[in-house]
């Protein structure tokens, strides 16, 4: 681990680089998990007075605009060389945080559908700009060998905080928390972005070092954007996000499950779920550094398949209070794929492709999958589909992808063995 070398050598600038990246990534994800995904529902339905269907359509529009913005910004970062310019990335990120700070302050005062729609568009632009810019910072701040546990640390921080505070999913609570957290960040990032801070000078050149700039899976040959390898993992991650949203959007609308877990009045349950996120994020960080990507995707699909199977069995049994084991397994699966998502796209990139690859990875596999799954959930609800049938479909998708990936891994191994035998003969 490179971190221990920096600690022994007391290289404070490099250590600050770890802290800066984990903080920015965790804060950005926390904002997306709480204020955007959960706060928007409360803002639209309770404050503005829209129907749940109208809010869901708005959230789908947010995901689509964020996806298009991420692709545009990620491409621009690489084309104009901003991916290699540390100060340029900090300035873009500062603009994103200022915009999100203003959106956070004004959100509780929205009262009309038009204002709600305009707010969603601006929020989507800020998210789409912030994601590829944040991921591009990794080539300046985190060496390749430490990216697994750094991704685990960011995941653990974001999910633990999201589960323990705030407990009420109300836009006023989210607004207060996020405004208080963003105010010092706006000042500090503004200083780093627009003043010449000598403490950060060594970080600006680190992307030139192959140990920072060239991702783990780009050695010895860089992964091309339009290659089978890159798009196979894009589609796998798309499947993960699609399955997660398709199941979770329905589960959180079911009082028997949501009020015994993520919205429970018992603070101990929130601590337990947050602790499971931390534990599984650490496990995922260790596994990411030691196992192939396909095996980790197999684990994620397997976890989702098993978890939804437990929900289906519980619905069919229909007795007693919902077991806590189900949300715990669900949380573990989410932490696993989040660590994978944070580390995978930088490790499939170089300084020339980090903006574009992370934009496609996060935009297509994250935002667009969420947009499509939300639309599918709306369609299923319009047909008054029972919960058990809905989760049956989610479970079938997870198991289908699990077995398809298992066949791919087996076929790939057979091809490699065949090539090896040909070379020997």
């Amino acid at each position: 681990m490179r971190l221990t070398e920096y600690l022994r050598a007391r290289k404070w600038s490099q250590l600050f680089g770890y802290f800066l990246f984990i903080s920015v990534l965790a804060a950005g994800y926390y904002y997306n998990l709480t204020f955007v995904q959960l706060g928007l529902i409360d803002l639209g339905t309770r404050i503005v007075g829209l129907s749940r269907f109208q809010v869901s359509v708005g959230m789908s529009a947010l995901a689509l605009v964020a996806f298009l913005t991420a692709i545009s910004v990620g491409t621009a970062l690489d084309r104009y060389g901003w991916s290699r310019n540390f100060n340029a990335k900090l300035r873009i990120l500062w603009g994103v945080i200022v915009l999100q700070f203003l959106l956070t302050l004004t959100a509780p005062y929205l009262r009309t559908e038009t204002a709600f729609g305009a707010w969603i568009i601006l929020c989507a632009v800020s998210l789409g700009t912030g994601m590829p810019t944040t991921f591009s910072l990794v080539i300046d701040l985190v060496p390749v060998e430490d990216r697994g546990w750094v991704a685990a640390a960011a995941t653990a921080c974001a999910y633990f905080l999201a589960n323990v505070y705030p407990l009420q999913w109300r836009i006023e609570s989210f607004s207060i928390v996020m405004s208080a957290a963003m105010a010092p960040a706006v000042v500090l990032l503004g200083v780093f972005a627009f003043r010449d801070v000598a403490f950060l000078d060594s970080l600006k050149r680190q992307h030139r070092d192959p140990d920072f700039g060239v991702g783990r899976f780009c050695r010895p040959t860089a992964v091309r954007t339009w290659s089978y390898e890159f798009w196979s993992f894009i589609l796998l991650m798309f499947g993960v996000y699609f399955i997660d949203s398709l199941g979770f959007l329905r589960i959180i609308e079911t009082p028997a499950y949501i009020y015994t877990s993520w919205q429970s009045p018992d603070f101990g349950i929130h601590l337990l779920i947050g602790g499971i996120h931390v534990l599984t994020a650490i496990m995922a960080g260790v596994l990411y550094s030691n196992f192939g990507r396909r095996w980790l995707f197999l684990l994620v699909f397997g976890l989702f398949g098993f978890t939804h199977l437990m929900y289906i069995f519980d619905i069919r049994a229909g007795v007693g209070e919902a077991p806590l084991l189900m949300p715990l397994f669900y949380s573990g699966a989410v932490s696993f794929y989040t660590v994978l998502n944070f580390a995978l796209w930088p490790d499939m990139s170089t300084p020339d492709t980090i903006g574009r690859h992370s934009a496609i990875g996060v935009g297509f596999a994250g935002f667009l999958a969420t947009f499509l799954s939300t639309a599918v959930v709306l369609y299923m609800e319009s047909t008054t589909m029972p919960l058990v049938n809905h989760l049956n479909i989610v479970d079938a998708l997870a198991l289908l992808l699990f077995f398809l990936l298992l066949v791919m891994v087996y076929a790939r191994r057979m091809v490699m063995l065949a090539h090896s035998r040909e070379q020997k003969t």
Side-chain angles (χ1 to χ4, degrees):
M1 186 184 291
R2 186 70 68 88
L3 177 67
T4 54
E5 296 177 18
Y6 291 145
L7 281 170
R8 282 196 292 266
R10 298 183 178 181
K11 292 188 174 181
W12 303 118
S13 295
Q14 279 69 26
L15 293 171
F16 179 75
Y18 284 86
F19 170 77
L20 180 62
F21 185 73
I22 292 172
S23 301
V24 171
L25 191 59
Y29 211 66
Y30 177 83
Y31 180 84
N32 190 43
L33 284 172
T34 56
F35 193 81
V36 177
Q37 292 189 10
L38 302 174
L40 268 187
I41 298 174
D42 181 62
L43 172 63
T45 54
R46 187 174 60 84
I47 304 292
V48 183
L50 302 176
S51 67
R52 200 172 182 86
F53 175 81
Q54 289 173 304
V55 174
S56 299
V57 170
M59 292 181 73
S60 299
L62 181 145
L64 188 59
V65 174
F67 160 67
L68 295 173
T69 306
I71 297 297
S72 303
V73 172
T75 303
L77 284 170
D78 291 343
R79 177 170 297 176
Y80 298 111
W82 299 333
S83 296
R84 294 174 176 272
N85 188 326
F86 185 62
N87 279 350
K89 287 182 282 190
L90 288 184
R91 287 168 187 166
I92 295 172
L93 207 56
W94 180 81
V96 168
I97 293 180
V98 169
L99 177 57
Q100 290 183 340
F101 180 63
L102 296 175
L103 290 170
T104 304
L105 285 175
T106 56
Y109 304 101
L110 299 180
R111 290 295 182 273
T112 67
E113 187 175 353
T114 304
F116 182 71
W119 192 96
I120 279 182
I121 298 300
L122 288 173
C123 184
V125 170
S126 75
L127 291 174
T129 305
M131 280 297 177
T133 309
T134 301
F135 274 76
S136 298
L137 283 173
V138 75
I139 62 173
D140 303 295
L141 305 177
V142 183
V144 174
E145 66 181 275
D146 287 354
R147 287 181 184 171
W149 74 258
V150 166
T155 302
C157 290
Y159 278 110
F160 183 81
L161 291 175
N163 276 281
V164 299
Y165 195 80
L167 299 182
Q168 296 296 321
W169 291 353
R170 297 169 70 90
I171 195 67
E172 294 90 344
S173 303
F174 289 132
S175 180
I176 292 171
V177 172
M178 294 310 305
S179 301
M182 283 180 173
V186 168
V187 176
L188 283 176
L189 204 58
V191 172
F192 295 153
F194 295 101
R195 302 292 294 181
D196 188 14
V197 182
F199 182 68
L200 302 178
D201 282 348
S202 61
L203 303 181
K204 298 174 184 175
R205 298 185 294 273
Q206 288 192 140
H207 67 270
R208 299 173 189 167
D209 182 348
D211 288 346
F212 281 79
V214 182
R216 172 185 167 194
F217 305 116
C218 288
R219 301 172 183 182
T221 306
V223 176
R224 290 179 293 108
T225 305
W226 298 109
S227 63
Y228 164 78
E229 182 182 11
F230 182 69
W231 280 94
S232 64
F233 286 104
I234 289 285
L235 294 176
L236 285 173
M237 192 62 81
F238 183 95
V240 170
Y241 269 95
F242 188 86
I243 288 170
D244 177 26
S245 297
L246 195 65
F248 192 66
L249 287 175
R250 189 65 187 266
I251 289 171
I252 62 172
E253 292 181 359
T254 308
Y257 294 128
I258 193 63
Y259 291 117
T260 55
S261 54
W262 293 280
Q263 278 287 269
S264 169
D266 184 351
F267 184 67
I269 291 179
H270 290 267
L271 277 178
L272 181 59
I273 293 176
I276 288 295
H277 274 296
V278 172
L279 179 64
T280 48
I282 294 170
M283 291 168 60
V286 173
L287 292 176
Y288 179 83
S289 302
N290 295 283
F291 285 86
R293 294 157 289 179
R294 291 176 178 81
W295 291 106
L296 296 178
F297 273 105
L298 264 177
L299 182 60
V300 171
F301 286 129
L303 276 173
F304 271 127
F306 179 69
T307 305
H308 284 105
L309 204 59
M310 284 196 293
Y311 274 103
I312 291 166
F313 284 153
D314 185 71
I315 295 167
R316 292 195 184 283
V319 290
E321 187 173 313
L324 191 56
L325 200 61
M326 297 186 297
L328 295 184
F329 265 94
Y330 204 105
S331 302
V334 169
S335 276
F336 258 100
Y337 87 71
T338 304
V339 171
L340 194 53
N341 186 48
F342 283 169
L344 182 61
W345 310 124
D347 272 349
M348 295 184 78
S349 307
T350 66
D352 293 325
T353 58
I354 181 71
R356 189 166 60 252
H357 283 189
S358 58
I360 296 172
V362 178
F364 186 87
F367 288 125
L368 195 59
T370 304
F371 161 73
L372 287 177
S373 64
T374 302
V376 173
V377 169
L378 288 174
Y379 171 75
M380 288 179 170
E381 287 182 345
S382 70
T383 61
T384 62
M385 179 180 288
L387 176 63
V388 66
N389 291 359
H390 184 117
L391 294 184
N392 268 328
I393 292 173
V394 180
D395 193 45
L397 280 174
L399 293 176
L400 176 66
L401 287 170
F402 175 83
F403 285 111
L404 280 177
L405 186 56
L406 198 61
V407 170
M408 286 174 60
V409 170
Y410 179 76
R412 188 170 181 271
R413 183 62 60 89
M414 290 298 102
V415 170
M416 290 173 64
L417 284 174
H419 281 305
S420 176
R421 286 173 184 167
E422 285 178 4
Q423 288 176 351
K424 286 180 181 177
T425 55

